[in-house]
Amino acid sequence: MPPIPADRVPDLGPIADYPQHITKMVKKWVNLVNTDPRRVCRTLLLTNPNGETIEGDTFDDVALLVDVVKEAAKKSTSREWKVLVDAGITNSLCKWVINSQQCLMKAYMVVNDDGMAEVAEGSIEQAKQNAPAPYTPALEILCNAVMSCAVPPTATEQKMIEELKRQWSTMMQRIWSDPSWSLEPGTNMMRVRERAVVAQLVHRLTFLDPSFLDVFLKPADLTLAVSFRNWLYSTGDYDAMANCSLVCPLLEGKMPDHWTRHFETHPLPDLHALLPRILLGALRGTGKKKRTPNQAAEFIVAAFTRQFTRLSGRSLKEDIIFLSALLDVSKEYAPFCRAVCRSETLWSILGMVVIRDGLASHKPPRGYTPDIITLQTLSVYVKVGRMPEAREHIDTLVYNWLAGKLFSILEVAIMPLVRDARGPMLVSSIFSIMDKNLTKLSPRTRKKLRSQLPYTGLMVPLLQFSLRGHKEPGAIVAQVLDDDDIVKGSTLDVSDPYHPIWTMSAWQILWRLTTTLRPLYASCSNLGCEKPAYVQLCPKCNVAAYCGQECAKRDDGHRFLCQWMKELLWVSLYQSHSPEDIVAIRADGVVPDTPPEYEKTVDDKLKVIRESGLPQECVQKMLDAVKETQKNPPPADEHSVGIAALEKAVEQLQIAAAI
């Protein structure tokens, strides 16, 4: 067979800079791909630097041969690749992955006096740090071949796939046992590609031949552990996305169509069997010492924290879905839920994600999908807060939310949130988690919550959106008494995110949190002021109270609430916690004592309502409601109308999720 023309010699990167006789050696291998492919396969089996084939080829030849074979693999339908596959190239590459111990350091090679390539003196350490893992060149060649396969695969390509299926699990065992330097951050994209190549191979192979799913899902296979570990150490979008999109669908249950079709006739292994194999990837890193389950859980949470800090766009969205999917199955892994609840850093970073996305939604860049990331992030808050496994850590969880400036985060995103169907539901649910657990919170956490109330930056937009332009007196009363025309006219189920009850309950629960920790007339109405209120009342509403003129002047947010304060005063009377809960919540000096001479009685507050100027019919409804509440106090676990409806909706959502 005639030699390959010079213009068909592949691009050889750094080798092209070698002296002329080295380039001639490369051309020799280009010709041998066609004339003697078995010799090529035998040479690639040299994993020992001192080894030699019957033709006299050595490990030095492998460094030159790799680029030639890699170039041929980019065209898996070509004659060159066909003859290599028929000669056993797939088996040689698999054996290389399994047995290789020596790294290829060709970028640091020079030619010695004998005309042989060797690593330059003084470059050994640098070469080791930047050289690929021993098995990486073979995996990259296989990846090139698989990515260029036709659909459906040709007979030659199917032969290659079958050989890969036979040796896949053994290759994964080798990579799992010895990750080499593939988990190091690296200074270029090489490490990122190394961490992505296994997942990329699996994605493509399952598309070409869905039966490959049965290979990497076998009980003894370590692909999921390798991929999850690669995700944990990922430093780029490429390795994060490749590995996340392989593991997450199995946890979430939302799989690619070709996976779904395959699992219709080949049942997916039970999650109880899959989860331990995935989490195995967190138990062992670069060292030989294994992590304990608690250490592994903390390492996973730290990995999410790093990812959320640097990722954006689709990669960030996929990682948030990944966290949510892990939380869904964390009842099988209790340390993970505990680590999530206890990580103040994680909640601070999640808050920054919402702020980043909320700010972007005001001036969206090209291709931006508004609010998706914010909604997914807030869903994580709700999911963790509602988890039974989080009950014993609820105090730490709520404190970490508050330390991460939860109210400020929601304020940044509140306008896009209230315009989205799911936004009010998420905001209501977050407030409900804090309100429902007030009696379980430590004095430290309750004090932290009190210091961030009242938050008019949230209260005002929630009220405005809930009222939908209705400013007539009594509109707020109608909502709390479940007498609102919008609610009564709705045909939606209360668990539906579009139901108007979500927007109404959001401000109601925030207001109940506020007046529980900052009782009207007893606490200064200025945000964060810890002093009790005395005689300084707002002259317009006669409800907002301050510790002095300075706080009264600084409370800019009150001017937006002032018009509604008399009705909100009634709301605070109507939806109060039980007396027993109030004592527990305000214990330990969380709410400063108010001198008796400044204490407002219920009758004093009702007098303000009577003199409020509201329609007489509305005032009478309010007075009757308060009188009925005083006559027949509700049980400790019974809430006001809006809050009860919210809890009913949450319960229905949980039942639907369980089904």
Side-chain angles (χ1 to χ4, degrees):
M1 184 175 292
I4 303 297
D7 59 358
R8 287 187 58 188
V9 175
D11 180 12
L12 304 175
I15 295 179
D17 298 328
Y18 284 178
Q20 183 65 31
H21 68 284
I22 298 296
T23 305
K24 288 180 180 179
M25 292 171 63
V26 174
K27 291 180 180 179
K28 176 192 76 173
W29 285 111
V30 172
N31 282 307
L32 286 173
V33 166
N34 287 271
T35 59
D36 194 353
R38 292 189 182 279
R39 180 177 173 181
V40 171
C41 296
R42 283 194 296 273
T43 305
L44 289 177
L45 288 173
L46 292 172
T47 56
N48 187 331
N50 300 320
E52 187 175 324
T53 67
I54 56 175
E55 292 91 355
D57 300 322
T58 67
F59 190 76
D60 292 331
D61 290 291
V62 175
L64 307 178
L65 178 56
V66 164
D67 286 295
V68 176
V69 177
K70 187 184 293 186
E71 192 68 21
K74 292 179 182 178
K75 301 175 183 177
S76 62
T77 56
S78 66
R79 181 186 178 281
E80 288 88 349
W81 187 250
K82 182 179 184 305
V83 298
L84 285 171
V85 171
D86 291 340
I89 191 71
T90 310
N91 180 66
S92 294
L93 292 170
C94 290
K95 294 296 184 185
W96 184 355
V97 173
I98 296 167
N99 299 318
S100 60
Q101 300 298 324
Q102 184 70 23
C103 298
L104 297 182
M105 305 177 184
K106 60 190 176 188
Y108 297 89
M109 286 183 178
V110 296
V111 180
N112 61 23
D113 296 337
D114 298 325
M116 302 301 293
E118 63 179 18
V119 178
E121 187 178 352
S123 300
I124 296 292
E125 288 305 315
Q126 188 179 6
K128 286 182 178 180
Q129 292 174 7
N130 294 280
Y135 48 78
T136 295
L139 283 177
E140 289 183 343
I141 293 171
L142 290 169
C143 191
N144 281 351
V146 169
M147 295 303 294
S148 65
C149 279
V151 181
T154 64
T156 298
E157 292 167 338
Q158 192 60 52
K159 181 179 179 180
M160 174 185 66
I161 293 171
E162 291 300 323
E163 185 64 38
L164 277 171
K165 287 163 67 174
R166 282 194 293 272
Q167 305 204 53
W168 182 264
S169 294
T170 309
M171 290 194 293
M172 293 303 103
Q173 177 65 61
R174 187 262 191 270
I175 296 172
W176 169 253
S177 301
D178 177 24
S180 187
W181 297 299
S182 65
L183 304 181
E184 298 295 332
T187 56
N188 51 40
M189 280 293 292
M190 181 178 64
R191 298 292 178 228
V192 172
R193 291 195 301 269
E194 285 183 327
R195 289 187 289 269
V197 67
V198 169
Q200 190 174 3
L201 271 165
V202 174
H203 281 301
R204 184 62 175 173
L205 285 168
T206 56
F207 180 74
L208 296 170
D209 183 357
S211 68
F212 189 80
L213 285 161
D214 300 329
V215 174
F216 87 87
L217 291 177
K218 289 189 302 185
D221 190 87
L222 290 166
T223 303
L224 293 175
V226 169
S227 189
F228 187 50
R229 182 173 66 181
N230 284 336
W231 175 83
L232 289 170
Y233 285 91
S234 60
T235 57
D237 286 17
Y238 183 36
D239 50 348
M241 276 286 292
N243 292 292
C244 173
S245 58
L246 175 62
V247 178
C248 186
L250 297 170
L251 298 174
E252 191 186 19
K254 297 179 181 179
M255 291 171 279
D257 291 342
H258 55 286
W259 287 22
T260 303
R261 288 192 297 270
H262 179 76
F263 289 134
E264 288 174 356
T265 54
H266 300 74
L268 176 69
D270 187 85
L271 188 60
H272 292 278
L274 283 180
L275 185 60
R277 288 156 53 191
I278 293 170
L279 296 176
L280 180 62
L283 292 177
R284 186 171 175 182
T286 55
K288 293 183 178 180
K289 187 177 180 181
K290 289 186 178 180
R291 300 184 181 98
T292 65
N294 287 336
Q295 290 172 335
E298 291 169 1
F299 188 76
I300 295 170
V301 171
F304 275 113
T305 302
R306 290 194 305 272
Q307 306 286 32
F308 294 152
T309 302
R310 64 178 184 78
L311 293 178
S312 60
R314 184 188 169 196
S315 300
L316 176 59
K317 184 180 91 169
E318 293 297 330
D319 263 32
I320 295 172
I321 293 173
F322 192 14
L323 173 59
S324 184
L326 272 175
L327 288 168
D328 284 334
V329 299
S330 64
K331 59 184 176 183
E332 307 289 338
Y333 185 38
F336 182 64
C337 178
R338 180 169 58 248
V340 168
C341 291
R342 291 181 174 180
S343 177
E344 184 176 338
T345 306
L346 174 66
W347 295 110
S348 296
I349 297 301
L350 282 172
M352 290 306 301
V353 167
V354 175
I355 290 174
R356 219 163 54 204
D357 197 54
L359 294 175
S361 67
H362 296 292
K363 294 183 179 180
R366 187 174 182 181
Y368 174 78
T369 304
D371 317 321
I372 295 298
I373 290 174
T374 290
L375 293 171
Q376 288 174 329
T377 305
L378 294 182
S379 295
V380 172
Y381 280 77
V382 176
K383 181 169 290 187
V384 176
R386 296 283 182 196
M387 288 172 63
E389 296 79 13
R391 287 172 186 165
E392 60 180 294
H393 311 293
I394 195 68
D395 179 63
T396 303
L397 177 65
V398 173
Y399 185 86
N400 287 336
W401 287 359
L402 298 170
K405 303 189 181 302
L406 175 62
F407 291 115
S408 299
I409 291 162
L410 292 175
E411 182 182 15
V412 171
I414 195 62
M415 293 314 295
L417 277 172
V418 295
R419 295 190 184 109
D420 190 279
R422 291 172 294 166
M425 180 179 70
L426 293 171
V427 175
S428 296
S429 298
I430 291 172
F431 292 160
S432 175
I433 290 166
M434 292 190 286
D435 179 72
K436 190 174 182 179
N437 292 286
L438 265 180
T439 57
K440 301 175 185 176
L441 302 182
S442 66
R444 181 186 75 146
T445 305
R446 282 185 275 121
K447 188 173 182 179
K448 187 81 171 176
L449 178 55
R450 173 183 160 82
S451 70
Q452 298 186 22
L453 296 171
Y455 212 98
T456 52
L458 286 175
M459 187 68 186
V460 171
L462 287 172
L463 254 178
Q464 288 176 331
F465 189 76
S466 175
L467 292 171
R468 300 175 189 270
H470 295 284
K471 295 184 178 180
E472 66 275 10
I476 289 177
V477 175
Q479 289 191 9
V480 178
L481 291 178
D482 206 16
D483 199 28
D484 187 84
D485 292 336
I486 298 174
V487 173
K488 293 193 323 189
S490 177
T491 58
L492 298 173
D493 187 88
V494 71
S495 63
D496 193 308
Y498 287 88
H499 198 288
I501 193 65
W502 294 105
T503 57
M504 297 176 183
S505 60
W507 72 259
Q508 288 185 45
I509 302 174
L510 178 59
W511 184 245
R512 185 160 103 143
L513 281 169
T514 302
T515 55
T516 300
L517 291 172
R518 290 187 171 275
L520 291 174
Y521 294 117
S523 294
C524 184
S525 295
N526 191 31
L527 174 64
C529 180
E530 293 298 322
K531 298 177 182 178
Y534 294 112
V535 294
Q536 187 70 37
L537 296 177
C538 170
K540 292 184 179 179
C541 67
N542 206 33
V543 175
Y546 300 94
C547 61
Q549 291 187 359
E550 185 177 346
C551 273
K553 292 178 181 178
R554 287 169 52 195
D555 189 13
D556 293 333
H558 173 68
R559 60 193 175 96
F560 297 104
L561 274 181
C562 189
Q563 59 182 316
W564 295 310
M565 285 301 293
K566 288 185 173 67
E567 287 186 73
L568 289 173
L569 171 62
W570 171 81
V571 173
S572 69
L573 288 171
Y574 182 67
Q575 64 169 206
S576 177
H577 283 270
S578 68
E580 297 82 5
D581 284 352
I582 290 293
V583 171
I585 291 167
R586 298 178 183 174
D588 304 300
V590 171
V591 178
D593 292 330
T594 304
E597 62 267 27
Y598 299 117
E599 188 73 50
K600 293 279 186 178
T601 65
V602 172
D603 288 339
D604 291 332
K605 296 174 182 177
L606 291 177
K607 181 180 178 183
V608 174
I609 294 173
R610 290 190 186 96
E611 299 172 352
S612 62
L614 296 171
Q616 188 58 40
E617 181 184 354
C618 177
V619 171
Q620 192 58 49
K621 277 186 179 181
M622 296 158 68
L623 294 175
D624 290 343
V626 173
K627 187 184 296 183
E628 180 62 28
T629 303
Q630 290 176 320
K631 183 178 179 181
N632 299 304
D637 59 349
E638 184 176 312
H639 294 161
S640 64
V641 176
I643 298 171
L646 169 68
E647 295 198 338
K648 179 183 176 184
V650 170
E651 182 181 349
Q652 291 184 15
L653 286 172
Q654 289 173 334
I655 293 172
I659 294 173

